[in-house]
Amino acid sequence: MTSAALLSVQAVSLAFGGVRALSSVDMDVDSGTICGLVGPNGAGKTSLFNCICGYYTPTSGRIKLNGRDITNTPPYRLAGHGVARTFQHPVLQPAKTVLDNVLVGGHSTFNTGLLSSTFRLPRARREERALEDRGRELLGYLGIGDLAALKASELSYGGQKRVELARALMSRPSLLLLDELASGLTHEEVMELGEDVQRVRTDFDVGIVLVEHHMGMVSAITDKVVVLVQGAKVVEGPAAEVQGHPVVIEAYLGTAA
């Protein structure tokens, strides 16, 4: 008997009025694996991603995390259940330091009550120091520890992507959702960040869903790929096999090849 998947998307459909964005999509992601979610523009990738993140409520179907139904869970509660995400375009506070931006991701793990925090009682100070230590550790892990005191606005685009990744890891997630990680980066930056994601998968034993257009990154780092076309899953498997599938070729190139 096999153990249940970390993330289980079960027959998820989504409609906006008369427009069907997703049609009965199934997808499983295990701990310690990277699943690429790909497809041409308008395929439904972002819609499915936002359903998993809690931004959209599916019209039908269920989404489970470690067997627990999270279908209607709002985004602000999902962090407490082990879900963290990054954004296609980094969402940072530009006037704040790199470290301060990373520490925002630890709010869901902060156990000190309002009274202790307000009066900065010893327990609150200890927890704050522990969070700061973890933030610095994650920045060092991702190779930007020496940038902790800089303002986020002073970083390169690639540096900002790493800050977002560090912020997501602050909540100690079991499921990490990465949105267009390669967007706006040079080829070298894409490959370096891809290596970081592989290390994260192994070192933190997280399941990762990667929504991505950069097929080089997808091929290099994923364990499997799910392809959506017009809101439906058309094929799933290793990247090398999926890229040669006739339906995928037709969807991307307009020919059945």
Side-chain angles (χ1 to χ4, degrees):
M1 181 178 180
T2 58
S3 58
L6 168 67
L7 172 70
S8 182
V9 175
Q10 303 172 354
V12 165
S13 295
L14 178 69
F16 300 101
V19 178
R20 182 172 289 273
L22 296 170
S23 300
S24 194
V25 176
D26 294 305
M27 181 177 76
D28 286 344
V29 179
D30 295 326
S31 294
T33 66
I34 303 174
C35 175
L37 185 59
V38 305
N41 289 333
K45 303 183 301 296
T46 299
S47 293
L48 180 57
F49 196 79
N50 284 334
C51 285
I52 298 170
C53 292
Y55 287 98
Y56 294 162
T57 298
T59 307
S60 61
R62 314 306 300 172
I63 300 173
K64 294 186 176 182
L65 182 71
N66 281 319
R68 177 177 185 169
D69 194 326
I70 61 169
T71 309
N72 297 311
T73 305
Y76 70 90
R77 291 192 181 278
L78 282 176
H81 295 321
V83 179
R85 68 164 294 178
T86 64
F87 297 85
Q88 178 178 354
H89 304 292
V91 180
L92 303 174
Q93 298 180 59
K96 297 290 187 180
T97 68
V98 167
L99 180 60
D100 284 340
N101 273 278
V102 170
L103 294 180
V104 170
H107 72 91
S108 63
T109 67
F110 203 74
N111 297 314
T112 303
L114 178 61
L115 184 63
S116 294
S117 298
T118 301
F119 291 100
R120 294 190 53 77
L121 298 180
R123 179 182 176 184
R125 292 199 300 272
R126 286 195 300 270
E127 195 160 11
E128 288 171 0
R129 285 195 298 269
L131 284 177
E132 184 173 324
D133 288 345
R134 176 165 174 78
R136 293 185 183 280
E137 179 184 345
L138 287 171
L139 288 172
Y141 176 83
L142 293 172
I144 53 174
D146 57 334
L147 307 180
L150 292 182
K151 291 182 178 179
S153 60
E154 299 179 85
L155 296 187
S156 67
Y157 199 66
Q160 291 179 23
K161 293 263 186 175
R162 279 188 163 79
V163 172
E164 274 216 323
L165 183 54
R167 183 179 63 193
L169 292 172
M170 278 293 293
S171 64
R172 303 181 185 274
S174 57
L175 177 66
L176 186 58
L177 306 170
L178 305 178
D179 189 7
E180 297 283 2
L181 201 62
S183 174
L185 302 184
T186 66
H187 176 73
E188 183 179 356
E189 289 174 326
V190 168
M191 293 300 104
E192 289 176 352
L193 198 52
E195 292 175 358
D196 287 336
V197 172
Q198 287 183 299
R199 285 197 300 129
V200 165
R201 173 264 305 273
T202 301
D203 294 345
F204 294 87
D205 192 30
V206 296
I208 297 176
V209 177
L210 173 69
V211 174
E212 188 54 71
H213 277 100
H214 194 294
M215 293 307 295
M217 172 179 274
V218 171
S219 297
I221 72 173
T222 59
D223 298 292
K224 71 173 181 180
V225 176
V226 172
V227 182
L228 298 182
V229 176
Q230 296 181 351
K233 184 176 80 171
V234 296
V235 64
E236 176 180 340
E241 296 178 9
V242 164
Q243 287 176 335
H245 194 283
V247 175
V248 176
I249 294 173
E250 183 175 7
Y252 275 95
L253 303 179
T255 172

